[in-house]
Amino acid sequence: MPKKNQLTIGVFFPIEAYKGSIPTMHNQVILAQRAEELGFATLWVRDVPLHDPSFGDVGQIFDSWVYLGYIAAHTHTITLATGSIIFPQRHPLHLAKAAASVDRLSGGRLVMGIVLKPTVYRTNDSTHDCDDLIIYI
């Protein structure tokens, strides 16, 4: 778990270089385990519910919660984090249960970031910001 007042470095999924908007997702478990061995603090997933060509990419492709559960089963100590789950697009009870499940099954390694508005969008050279909130469970 990241320590207060200490700089840490994490890795966002997908952990690969790829062309276009859709990663291959090959060898992600091996790369996640390697990041853990090398002392990276956190593995991050993003909540990209749909492929929107104007957004640029699809994140790690898979549902954030299912994927975090899968990665939790293949790692031991590295923190697992969402950056960020789009809160208004999920029912609060489902979100709470998914987060609690990943946290419990991972041995308390979840850091949940949520966004209160759908992400940052660029339209006609103007930026619409989001309000991020990190919740430590």
Side-chain angles (χ1 to χ4, degrees), residues 10-71:
V11 179
F12 263 99
F13 283 105
I15 309 172
E16 66 178 277
Y18 58 96
K19 292 182 180 181
S21 62
I22 302 175
T24 66
M25 298 303 291
H26 293 172
N27 302 316
Q28 295 297 292
V29 168
I30 293 167
L31 293 168
Q33 291 168 334
R34 184 70 176 137
E36 184 174 49
E37 290 168 8
L38 291 171
F40 283 86
T42 308
L43 294 169
W44 293 86
V45 299
R46 292 180 303 134
D47 190 20
V48 184
L50 301 169
H51 181 227
D52 177 355
S54 68
F55 187 68
D57 69 271
V58 295
Q60 70 280 339
I61 299 175
F62 306 113
D63 175 82
S64 300
W65 299 112
V66 173
Y67 198 58
L68 281 173
Y70 177 71
I71 294 299

Side-chain angles (χ1 to χ4, degrees), residues 80-130:
L80 307 170
T82 63
S84 298
I85 296 296
I86 304 171
F87 190 77
Q89 292 182 350
R90 304 197 184 287
H91 190 283
L93 291 176
H94 293 160
L95 183 59
K97 185 168 185 174
S101 296
V102 168
D103 190 55
R104 182 73 167 196
L105 293 171
S106 70
R109 294 187 284 147
L110 179 67
V111 171
M112 184 172 75
I114 63 171
V115 63
L116 302 177
K117 293 187 262 183
T119 199
V120 175
Y121 291 103
R122 293 191 180 277
T123 56
N124 300 329
D125 295 326
S126 63
T127 301
H128 307 279
D129 294 322
C130 62

